[in-house]
Amino acid sequence: MNVPAPLKGATATEDETSRELQEICQNVDQNTGTTKKQKWNRVQKMTLMTLALVNFSASACFALQAPFFPREAEKKGASHTAIGMVFGAFSFVILISSLIFGKLITRVGAKFMFCCGLFVGGNCTIMFGFMDLCPGGWVFVGMCIAVRSVEGLGCSMAITANSAIVASLFPGEVGLVMGFMEATFSLGLTVGPVIGGSLYEVGGFKLPFLVMGSLMLVIMLLALVLLPTQNDNLKKERSSFLKIIQIPSVIVTCTCVTIAASLFGFLDPNLSPFVDKKFKLSAFWTGFMFMALSIAFGVSSPATGWIVDNKGLTKSLMIVGQLIASVAMFFMGPSSLLPIPSMLWLTVVSLIILGIGAAVAEIPAFQDLLTITISHGLPDNFETYGILSGILNSCFSTGSFIGPLLGGYLDDIASFQWATTCMAGLLVFSASIMLVFKMVNHCKTSNSADYVADLEREPLLKKVDCEPSNCLL
């Protein structure tokens, strides 16, 4: 496995940092290409702490508006579909820009891209707090979409650099570290709605965005000091975006990730109005419902990452996760196909199960893509990590973009119960695609192995029945 060039920590000398990076190099078994498990050194711990802190703050800023923004938008005359467009604009920008940033990361530098993304995101979060001053109707919706789009650019830079740095510095433990990063991200998603709902009730629409945006800028300054600088000089071996996306296994994995990622976005515009109408919950308690979903996701993520690193089974885990999530969506409303009334405890339990299923479906994705790509002959270097990070983030963002639009549209034309039923069916369809592909690949692999085994059993020189009448000597 190729290990990137030395990192230079803000407080460490070049020699110290080079020595610690050399320790990472020595962890790679030169015969098998696998990575020996060792304790993390100072550079790894410092980087992990910084990335986790930024992940937490960024996700908290993203999620703080879920409990109250739909209600404020309805007061401005926005429909559920328009609200879904506001939430979806953020993800739409990420799905396009992540592919570009994934290719540019080795040219502009991972740290530079990471910190620039946080700077843009923090300022846009503050700016969004003044959207309540806009006139109602499509002027309000248009301004919200514009600010969220620019915020999406900043987030795209940060998360693309994040995943590439993790894959570079933690070879052989990508699943576990990705799971930990998702846990910190989920912690931010958990705390964000609670903080947002609380600050909203204390100081109105502006206060949540001013507080969290300012906090994000402060943490950006800390990241600028603590995060090591990646020397991203390109190696002779070059990765190809077109070659990667033409691999059938990559296409299947990306499709399933996109559908699984649409779950959280689906709930953003319509869960809050649903629980407000059915159970008369305040914004504060609605935030706690989002918290249940995020806690379940965050707790399940490291466990799923450990299984990925130690047992593999990436595609099997993704199939199981999508099936678990489909059951949760079916009972969340619950489905109109069931003779069961809406109950608060059932909705909360379904949210918890949904968080577990989403973690099991999404965490193995990066390791699965990395394994597939390297097995098809592409180089194991930082450029590959950047491209895969961009592709995966684009898939997540595509799902997050589709989710709010689909959820808002179905809620407008039907009901929350029918919307969750449709989402459950989509998850079953996604799991079925991956299962069929996995079975077909297994059959092909088995047939190839049997064919090779038969060839090995055949003698190199076959006995020929040679009669004087039909043999030429």
Side-chain angles (χ1 to χ4, degrees):
M1 178 176 291
N2 294 326
V3 179
L7 302 174
K8 299 179 182 178
T11 60
T13 65
E14 183 176 353
D15 291 340
E16 290 174 341
T17 307
S18 299
R19 184 174 62 253
E20 290 172 346
L21 263 293
Q22 184 64 29
E23 292 175 5
I24 301 177
C25 295
Q26 293 172 350
N27 289 344
V28 181
D29 191 320
Q30 300 300 324
N31 295 323
T32 64
T34 59
T35 304
K36 305 170 185 178
K37 298 294 179 62
Q38 276 193 356
K39 292 183 178 180
W40 293 336
N41 60 33
R42 182 189 57 82
V43 172
Q44 291 172 306
K45 292 178 181 178
M46 182 178 66
T47 302
L48 185 63
M49 179 191 69
T50 305
L51 296 180
L53 187 62
V54 173
N55 256 22
F56 169 80
S57 62
S59 59
C61 288
F62 170 75
L64 83 161
Q65 65 202 56
F68 61 87
F69 178 76
R71 301 176 187 181
E72 291 291 330
E74 287 178 348
K75 294 178 184 178
K76 292 286 188 177
S79 66
H80 287 177
T81 302
I83 296 172
M85 291 175 64
V86 174
F87 281 103
F90 181 87
S91 302
F92 179 74
V93 171
I94 295 179
L95 78 89
I96 296 176
S97 60
S98 289
L99 300 175
I100 300 173
F101 292 139
K103 193 66 178 175
L104 292 178
I105 190 170
T106 53
R107 291 166 173 79
V108 302
K111 180 178 178 178
F112 178 80
M113 181 180 290
F114 190 78
C115 293
C116 283
L118 294 176
F119 179 79
V120 173
N123 280 287
C124 286
T125 300
I126 295 174
M127 189 180 300
F128 199 89
F130 295 92
M131 291 298 102
D132 62 332
L133 302 179
C134 293
W138 282 105
V139 176
F140 171 79
V141 174
M143 289 296 295
C144 289
I145 291 176
V147 175
R148 290 281 287 179
S149 297
V150 179
E151 185 181 355
L153 282 176
C155 185
S156 177
M157 287 188 281
I159 60 180
T160 299
N162 189 323
S163 299
I165 293 171
V166 167
S168 171
L169 280 183
F170 298 92
E173 296 178 297
V174 173
L176 177 61
V177 178
M178 283 292 187
F180 176 73
M181 298 306 296
E182 289 296 335
T184 59
F185 192 86
S186 297
L187 182 61
L189 293 178
T190 300
V191 177
V194 178
I195 294 176
S198 302
L199 293 176
Y200 172 76
E201 293 190 352
V202 171
F205 186 83
K206 292 184 178 64
L207 188 60
F209 299 101
L210 294 177
V211 171
M212 294 305 299
S214 300
L215 178 61
M216 195 171 180
L217 291 177
V218 171
I219 298 178
M220 183 271 296
L221 295 176
L222 294 177
L224 196 62
V225 174
L226 297 177
L227 193 66
T229 300
Q230 179 77 41
N231 186 353
D232 300 323
N233 292 329
L234 292 175
K235 307 291 190 283
K236 292 182 179 179
E237 293 181 291
R238 299 296 300 273
S239 292
S240 171
F241 171 77
L242 293 179
K243 288 183 180 179
I244 292 176
I245 63 173
Q246 289 174 1
I247 301 173
S249 295
V250 170
I251 297 174
V252 172
T253 297
C254 289
T255 302
C256 294
V257 168
T258 300
I259 296 175
S262 66
L263 294 174
F264 285 16
F266 168 85
L267 296 175
D268 282 339
N270 53 26
L271 179 61
S272 177
F274 171 74
V275 297
D276 180 40
K277 179 180 178 181
K278 289 289 184 180
F279 311 118
K280 307 300 181 183
L281 296 182
S282 66
F284 179 78
W285 290 109
T286 302
F288 271 98
M289 294 193 68
F290 281 98
M291 182 178 70
L293 172 64
S294 300
I295 288 178
F297 184 88
V299 171
S300 304
S301 295
T304 304
W306 183 88
I307 296 174
V308 170
D309 287 336
N310 291 273
K311 305 296 182 180
L313 307 174
T314 52
K315 280 188 168 56
S316 298
L317 285 171
M318 294 177 70
I319 293 170
V320 172
Q322 289 177 94
L323 293 177
I324 292 174
S326 68
V327 173
M329 294 299 294
F330 196 71
F331 283 93
M332 186 177 298
S335 171
S336 298
L337 301 176
L338 298 174
I340 304 174
S342 298
M343 294 176 283
L344 180 59
W345 70 267
L346 183 60
T347 302
V348 173
V349 170
S350 297
L351 285 170
I352 294 173
I353 297 175
L354 179 65
I356 297 172
V360 177
E362 295 178 13
I363 296 303
F366 190 90
Q367 183 62 57
D368 188 57
L369 290 177
L370 186 59
T371 302
I372 293 169
T373 303
I374 295 175
S375 68
H376 280 75
L378 281 93
D380 185 7
N381 59 17
F382 199 86
E383 187 178 25
T384 299
Y385 305 152
I387 293 175
L388 291 180
S389 177
I391 291 175
L392 191 60
N393 290 332
S394 181
C395 292
F396 281 128
S397 300
T398 302
S400 299
F401 173 71
I402 294 174
L405 293 180
L406 182 61
Y409 175 73
L410 292 175
D411 204 23
D412 279 339
I413 65 173
S415 64
F416 181 80
Q417 290 89 338
W418 275 115
T420 54
T421 303
C422 293
M423 188 60 68
L426 191 61
L427 286 164
V428 173
F429 174 73
S430 174
S432 300
I433 292 176
M434 181 163 279
L435 178 61
V436 171
F437 190 84
K438 178 179 172 63
M439 294 174 62
V440 170
N441 272 355
H442 178 73
C443 291
K444 288 181 178 180
T445 303
S446 299
N447 292 336
S448 298
D450 292 340
Y451 176 72
V452 172
D454 290 339
L455 289 179
E456 291 176 347
R457 284 192 293 266
E458 291 182 5
L460 293 177
L461 297 176
K462 296 183 179 180
K463 183 179 179 181
V464 180
D465 185 14
C466 187
E467 296 293 338
S469 59
N470 57 18
C471 287
L472 296 176
L473 300 179

